[in-house]
Amino acid sequence: MSKIMSRYNPSTSEPKWQAAWEAAKAFDADEMDASKPSYFALEMFPYPSGRIHMGHVRNYAMGDVIARYKAACGFRVLHPMGWDAFGMPAENAARDKGIHPKGWTYENIAAMRAPMKRLGFALDWTREFATCDVDYYKQQQAIFLAFKEQGLVYRKKSKVNWDPVENSVLANEQVVDGKGWRSGAVIEQREMNQWVFKITHYAEELLEGLKTLDRWPEKVRTMQANWIGRSEGLNMRFEWEQVETFQRFDNPSNSSFSFKVDSGVNYNPITLGKITGEIENGLEIFTTRPDTLYGASFIAISSDHPLAISLSHKELLDTYPEKFGNEYSGVEKEISDFRVKCSQIGTTEEAIATADKLGFDTGLRVKHPFIEGKTLPVWIANFVLMGYGTGAIFGCPAHDQRDLDFARKYDLPVPAVVLPEGEDASSYDVGTEAYTGEGTLFNSGFLDGLSKEDGIKAAIAKIEEMELGHGTVQYRLRDWGVSRQRYWGCPIPIIYCDDCGAVPVPETDLPVALPDDVSFDIPGNPLDHHPTWKDVPCPSCSKPARRETDTLDTFADSSWYFARFAGGNTSDRPFDKAEASKWLPVDQYIGGVEHAVLHLLYARFFTRGLRDCGLLDLPSGEPFAGLFTQGMVTHAVFQDSDGVYIEPANVEEKDNQLLTIDTGKIVTKGDVIKMSKSKKNTIDPEDIIADYGADVARWFVLSDSPPARDFEWTESGVVGAWRFSGKVWNLVTATEFKGNPLNAADDATGDALDIRKFAHKAIDKITDGIEAFRFNTSVAQIYELTNALTKYKGDDAARLEALGILIRAIAPFMPHLAEECWAMIGGQGLCYHAPWPKADASLLTEDTVTLPVQVNGKRRGEISVPADASKDDVEKIAMAEENVVKTLEGLTVRKVIVVPGRIINIVAS
RNA sequence: GCGGGUGUGGCGGAAUUGGUAGACGCGCUGGAUUCAAAAUCCAGUUCCUCUGGAGUGUCGGUUCGAGUCCGACCACCCGUACCA
């Protein structure tokens, strides 16, 4: 073996091989053999923030392993890359630094593309685009119009966060502790007209489709199923308790109706008179627990329920301020104030659910459907959501925790009606914890003695018989509001005309392009402030009209980009139908688990919409056949004594103390958390590439942690990865035997046969690890093969074969090093084009196996037996083992369990 | 609050189906090589009251056998519909 070993130099080697791949158009799907089976590998495309971060490196390194592995396995692989380029950060930059969002975004893309290319990913850059390219969002506008034509788009009033100081809409992220993040003003909810995608049209299909996604993580399917939230229950009406009669306000000739109002509550008769429509005949509620109707203690309606709005006198006040303004007092005013209090909670589900329970007793009462003479009070409550069910519930405090909290706070009765097994009906009390489990119904009239399930059926049947309601299916899923009052997004192609209403922009007039001359000096939507952009003639009657100034939610951009990747950058349609239909669904999609619900559900909606508009031939409607969700990249946080965050690059260890390098201040190491700019615990991948090369960075992010789990970046870990690359290099440079590494060393015996066996067993383990997204175990196996080769002294065909296996196995992880090594040992062509190694089955079996022997479940010895030994023989050998005999002294053997190929357990006492 | 996940040596983790807990890597200790260092190579490294015993977040259960299954709990992380 040669003693002269030159050091592997990534800084010259990596650009060389990247140029070789590019010259060979190795990753250009159009250049690949079209007769091969196709494979679409895709990672969630990045937002162009300006710098690539370790999370990107990890995500794309994983995708690259799959893409390169599948290519080696004989697939024609499509592995594209693009940019999710619309969004708020660009507008924030414009506002804070005076840079135009467009320039900022495209500069960021350029700044990120370069290091991504230096990482040597097997990406088809010929298909690159950004969602802010006019060509792309033009087609998105066409899709919007097609969806509208298909009945998948409508307009609806929805709530937004309103900053009364900036006079603008804020994202949830921009609301901190209920206040605007810039203005500090208390945020109110405000209703605005919004464009909405009818995702609920596919609620059932989206739920059913989950069952077919057997290559998705179980947890993601569970989360989506829970998000869609199908529940069967009862829609029913509680009839009003009637005593006094008021004239209807809007049309006195209509039949009159009335309410019972508790003493002490005095509504203006006109307020009650205004309550019309469905409310007239009773209050409609939805429940999944009709079995507990006898435990009803109150009715609660949302503060946005039409009844609550009516009772607050709001509509009358809005319509006839001069007439009713001066009468605005008393209970109407109190309800109005209560509604304002509720509207300050915020629009997020979390804020609503964690807020203190607030209620307002309206004084109105409804009749219990089953109990003659019993009435229930109607409350307005802040925990009831208008967006789910009917916006009204009946409260059964004994068997619902939220209802119980509410009842305890307002001192409402808590009648128990479900008796848990083993409890006594006469003494049972729920205390502070509602009982939601199975049990037997009691105190429940005709339902007494029934189980929860039977009680639900019986109660629904009875209500249906009484014609008070019907069994129904509800979904938690809400339609997708897509209007955003922002500039840096895809303009919604609609024109408003006083005569014709909301008119779609004719397809020939697309794109509706964003104007470049916009100002970010005033808060709010720059498109709205633009002096001329929105003024256009109505496409239908040519009278002066106004453009929609809202843009689409950026989630729309990422809901169909994969189809554009597959179907080409067509200018006359969103993508080529035949091409896109050929590649889709994506065979393997990889991204962060934070997208488990929204992005993935929206994309599943879009592909169904595209299918039903005839744009895509995808019967299942499923865009992603395989999904993998990776964990985050984390790093320890460093802080000095003043609590100031310190970059890891500025921390050194001296005499067991952590100090800043520049000023020598003492630093403490804090939690290991997700890398973020604000905590300064980021590692710049570009620094790592410069110091160690792309291969080492890639190898390290894949080596230690299971891909699904969070990955902790440590400085020592990178050094280990660096050393490993040197070890492989040394193995190759030390080998003098040259030839075709694809040849099998069939005549090997002794040590040479052992190394062959080791290498072939390693192939299976490495392959299994890649297939199952357990790259860390593939890496461990590669380490073992490397160690075995280091120990193996022969310089012969067996060594060359094993090296050929090793190099092809590391190629998906460290492709540049693999190419360099491949060329050195005599491999033909690019290692990228070399076939994935295949294990020779005859080298995988062993004649003898070593089995542990337990006595009473504790390991006492080890025996070596022929692989095909019978159970009886194994038992005999085990019973004779020296240590086992010693342990069994004075004990009686009761039972011997032999698990072939696994273990022997002797039970003795 | 609700939905989902994670928890194993000093550290990252392995053990895919209930069958030898700690593979592999990092770190550390000792040795070889070297004028010396780096690099490389070899050996050791869960803990303890050590012929034995304990041990996979905590408590309890099922089993011949539990990191793995069941029940209760604790801690942390992700999502929660306008962050991407």
Side-chain angles (χ1 to χ4, degrees):
Chain A
M1 281 193 230
S2 164
K3 287 273 175 215
I4 308 147
M5 294 179 191
S6 58
R7 189 85 218 193
Y8 172 67
N9 185 354
S11 61
T12 54
S13 215
E14 292 182 348
K16 179 176 83 184
W17 292 107
Q18 284 163 19
W21 294 326
E22 195 167 340
K25 297 187 174 177
F27 314 132
D28 184 343
D30 292 327
E31 300 289 327
M32 295 177 199
D33 181 355
S35 67
K36 287 180 174 179
S38 61
Y39 192 94
F40 191 172
L42 184 69
E43 299 92 59
M44 292 179 185
F45 65 164
Y47 177 79
S49 60
R51 312 276 310 167
I52 66 165
H53 54 71
M54 279 300 166
H56 292 132
V57 176
R58 194 177 188 213
N59 190 196
Y60 304 128
M62 284 179 195
D64 210 46
V65 168
I66 297 299
R68 287 175 178 273
Y69 163 72
K70 287 291 175 184
C73 290
F75 287 91
R76 176 189 182 193
V77 175
L78 173 59
H79 187 212
M81 182 54 67
W83 308 94
D84 189 12
F86 276 136
M88 287 202 305
E91 286 191 57
N92 292 335
R95 202 149 287 161
D96 298 340
K97 298 174 196 158
I99 314 164
H100 194 280
K102 192 182 200 171
W104 184 84
T105 302
Y106 281 104
E107 274 171 34
N108 285 349
I109 289 173
M112 290 172 76
R113 190 191 293 114
M116 295 244 306
K117 288 201 168 178
R118 278 203 293 282
L119 280 160
F121 296 130
L123 288 167
D124 184 350
W125 286 101
T126 66
R127 298 181 183 231
E128 178 192 4
F129 62 79
T131 55
C132 63
D133 293 345
V134 182
D135 291 345
Y136 185 80
Y137 70 73
K138 171 189 172 183
Q139 297 306 329
Q140 189 158 301
Q141 290 167 345
I143 293 172
F144 177 93
L145 295 175
F147 277 15
K148 188 165 185 299
E149 193 71 15
Q150 190 68 18
L152 292 172
V153 177
Y154 67 103
R155 247 161 107 66
K156 183 189 166 187
K157 279 210 156 149
S158 324
K159 289 213 164 153
V160 293
N161 301 304
W162 182 259
D163 186 323
V165 170
E166 291 200 343
N167 276 316
S168 65
V169 177
L170 299 187
N172 283 335
E173 190 194 42
Q174 297 171 315
V175 179
V176 180
D177 295 331
K179 300 189 175 78
W181 69 345
R182 285 179 215 276
S183 71
V186 174
I187 299 306
E188 321 160 355
Q189 295 177 4
R190 188 176 266 206
E191 290 216 305
M192 289 183 78
N193 255 319
Q194 312 258 305
W195 289 102
V196 179
F197 282 156
K198 206 171 179 180
I199 189 169
T200 54
H201 174 72
Y202 295 107
E204 193 62 39
E205 198 193 324
L206 288 166
L207 186 64
E208 281 297 307
L210 292 172
K211 292 177 190 159
T212 68
L213 298 173
D214 56 349
R215 292 203 297 116
W216 277 42
E218 188 67 42
K219 62 173 175 183
V220 176
R221 288 191 282 164
T222 306
M223 278 190 264
Q224 292 221 349
N226 289 338
W227 186 264
I228 294 166
R230 183 185 201 276
S231 57
E232 290 178 18
L234 172 68
N235 249 339
M236 70 167 286
R237 169 164 61 86
F238 282 82
E239 293 183 317
W240 297 108
E241 156 114 300
Q242 304 186 356
V243 281
E244 293 174 55
T245 302
F246 297 112
Q247 280 290 299
R248 285 184 65 130
F249 170 79
D250 54 340
N251 185 353
S253 66
N254 275 357
S255 61
S256 58
F257 70 106
S258 60
F259 296 99
K260 168 151 186 181
V261 176
D262 263 7
S263 57
V265 180
N266 295 304
Y267 287 98
N268 185 325
I270 295 166
T271 307
L272 292 177
K274 179 72 175 119
I275 301 165
T276 56
E278 287 175 17
I279 288 175
E280 216 169 313
N281 300 319
L283 191 54
E284 185 114 352
I285 63 103
F286 172 74
T287 178
T288 56
R289 291 296 304 276
D291 57 316
T292 63
L293 265 168
Y294 278 91
S297 148
F298 60 93
I299 300 288
I301 63 171
S302 165
S303 62
D304 297 312
H305 194 280
L307 176 61
I309 294 169
S310 285
L311 292 180
S312 75
H313 211 140
K314 185 177 180 303
E315 290 176 9
L316 294 181
L317 200 63
D318 288 350
T319 320
Y320 308 101
E322 71 293 340
K323 191 168 175 187
F324 293 101
N326 55 354
E327 294 173 24
Y328 201 51
S329 61
V331 67
E332 287 92 347
K333 178 80 165 66
E334 284 175 44
I335 291 178
S336 178
D337 292 346
F338 180 77
R339 290 190 65 240
V340 168
K341 223 194 277 181
C342 291
S343 80
Q344 284 167 353
I345 288 171
T347 58
T348 68
E349 191 195 19
E350 185 200 1
I352 293 163
T354 54
D356 279 341
K357 303 267 177 304
L358 289 178
F360 186 94
D361 185 356
T362 63
L364 304 175
R365 298 190 81 89
V366 294
K367 291 191 264 188
H368 193 285
F370 300 149
I371 306 170
E372 189 62 39
K374 177 167 178 161
T375 63
L376 302 170
V378 176
W379 286 67
I380 303 170
N382 64 345
F383 67 93
V384 180
L385 302 172
M386 193 57 222
Y388 181 69
T390 61
I393 60 155
F394 81 82
C396 177
H399 306 295
D400 182 285
Q401 193 59 46
R402 288 172 310 173
D403 296 352
L404 184 62
D405 295 343
F406 190 79
R408 294 290 187 223
K409 177 162 181 180
Y410 292 105
D411 211 17
L412 295 158
V414 184
V417 291
V418 181
L419 191 64
E421 204 172 332
E423 289 282 350
D424 181 56
S426 56
S427 62
Y428 179 61
D429 183 75
V430 294
T432 54
E433 211 164 299
Y435 181 74
T436 57
E438 300 293 328
T440 310
L441 297 173
F442 73 122
N443 293 338
S444 290
F446 71 98
L447 297 170
D448 274 352
L450 296 178
S451 67
K452 177 173 162 181
E453 195 184 328
D454 291 342
I456 290 172
K457 284 182 195 152
I460 291 175
K462 182 79 176 175
I463 292 291
E464 286 178 345
E465 184 197 310
M466 294 166 78
E467 297 187 344
L468 286 174
H470 51 272
T472 183
V473 174
Q474 277 287 341
Y475 298 92
R476 204 188 77 99
L477 182 67
R478 306 198 299 258
D479 279 332
W480 173 16
V482 290
S483 293
R484 299 290 180 272
Q485 295 68 40
R486 282 184 258 290
Y487 166 75
W488 195 231
C490 169
I492 295 174
I494 293 286
I495 291 166
Y496 296 104
C497 168
D498 289 336
D499 295 342
C500 311
V503 182
V505 173
E507 205 144 345
T508 47
D509 291 353
L510 295 182
V512 177
L514 287 168
D516 287 337
D517 53 332
V518 280
S519 160
F520 292 89
D521 297 341
I522 340 161
N525 182 357
L527 290 177
D528 212 25
H529 303 145
H530 193 280
T532 55
W533 182 77
K534 62 182 171 184
D535 299 321
V536 283
C538 171
S540 130
C541 70
S542 300
K543 281 190 195 144
R546 302 164 311 282
R547 279 195 195 287
E548 169 67 84
T549 56
D550 286 353
T551 50
L552 281 174
D553 180 2
T554 56
F555 268 125
D557 312 343
S558 53
S559 292
W560 66 284
Y561 73 106
F562 41 89
R564 180 97 173 155
F565 275 146
N569 285 332
T570 45
S571 58
D572 56 341
R573 56 205 192 283
F575 42 81
D576 182 85
K577 185 177 173 181
E579 270 293 300
S581 305
K582 186 189 79 187
W583 285 105
L584 288 176
V586 173
D587 292 280
Q588 186 62 58
Y589 196 38
I590 307 172
V593 72
E594 65 272 21
H595 293 294
V597 176
L598 292 182
H599 160 60
L600 291 166
L601 194 63
Y602 292 149
R604 296 179 64 222
F605 160 72
F606 248 72
T607 41
R608 283 168 172 79
L610 291 167
R611 176 197 65 193
D612 292 347
C613 291
L615 292 165
L616 183 65
D617 186 11
L618 185 70
S620 74
E622 294 298 345
F624 313 118
L627 172 71
F628 184 80
T629 55
Q630 106 234 10
M632 299 174 303
V633 178
T634 62
H635 194 285
V637 173
F638 297 104
Q639 279 175 287
D640 68 14
S641 53
D642 300 329
V644 175
Y645 293 110
I646 307 292
E647 300 90 359
N650 187 22
V651 175
E652 62 176 347
E653 194 175 344
K654 247 187 203 169
D655 308 325
N656 281 328
Q657 249 190 352
L658 295 171
L659 304 170
T660 59
I661 292 169
D662 53 359
T663 54
K665 273 201 240 171
I666 295 175
V667 174
T668 52
K669 185 178 168 183
D671 293 340
V672 176
I673 56 167
K674 179 176 180 171
M675 285 190 179
S676 81
K677 269 188 199 162
S678 60
K679 297 281 162 63
K680 295 209 175 160
N681 62 335
T682 55
I683 298 292
D684 195 327
E686 297 196 49
D687 293 344
I688 302 300
I689 299 169
D691 291 349
Y692 299 99
D695 281 341
V696 168
R698 296 168 55 132
W699 180 255
F700 177 53
V701 293
L702 297 175
S703 59
D704 265 4
S705 291
R709 233 182 282 170
D710 288 352
F711 171 83
E712 187 191 350
W713 183 276
T714 59
E715 273 55 39
S716 55
V718 197
V719 176
W722 166 246
R723 280 211 289 261
F724 175 69
S725 71
K727 209 166 165 178
V728 172
W729 179 250
N730 290 345
L731 268 180
V732 170
T733 51
T735 302
E736 298 200 320
F737 188 96
K738 295 278 148 63
N740 183 354
L742 296 174
N743 288 344
D746 285 330
D747 53 351
T749 56
D751 285 353
L753 181 59
D754 286 346
I755 194 75
R756 286 201 73 207
K757 283 186 172 182
F758 198 102
H760 281 258
K761 282 180 191 164
I763 291 173
D764 273 1
K765 291 181 189 163
I766 294 164
T767 308
D768 288 351
I770 293 174
E771 291 275 1
F773 273 91
R774 296 197 318 263
F775 301 142
N776 54 322
T777 64
S778 297
V779 165
Q781 209 38 237
I782 289 170
Y783 275 123
E784 294 205 45
L785 178 56
T786 309
N787 290 342
L789 267 166
T790 306
K791 289 198 179 80
Y792 179 67
K793 296 302 167 207
D795 195 2
D796 53 14
R799 181 186 192 83
L800 187 69
E801 183 191 357
L803 263 183
I805 289 167
L806 175 68
I807 288 162
R808 282 176 291 156
I810 65 167
F813 302 87
M814 298 200 281
H816 311 87
L817 177 66
E819 293 288 0
E820 198 72 46
C821 292
W822 186 248
M824 282 198 54
I825 61 169
Q828 294 300 299
L830 287 170
C831 184
Y832 175 75
H833 287 130
W836 188 249
K838 213 172 148 45
D840 180 340
S842 68
L843 293 170
L844 301 179
T845 53
E846 293 291 350
D847 300 337
T848 59
V849 289
T850 304
L851 298 179
V853 184
Q854 295 182 334
V855 176
N856 291 332
K858 292 205 167 71
R859 188 172 176 276
R860 296 299 177 188
E862 206 175 71
I863 56 168
S864 193
V865 297
D868 56 356
S870 73
K871 269 193 176 189
D872 286 350
D873 291 346
V874 170
E875 184 176 331
K876 271 178 213 146
I877 298 166
M879 295 299 285
E881 204 274 339
E882 194 186 349
N883 231 334
V884 172
V885 171
K886 213 157 78 183
T887 313
L888 286 174
E889 265 170 37
L891 298 173
T892 315
V893 175
R894 304 273 172 212
K895 199 170 163 189
V896 179
I897 293 143
V898 178
V899 184
R902 284 287 195 182
I903 202 165
I904 299 100
N905 190 13
I906 300 162
V907 186
S909 59

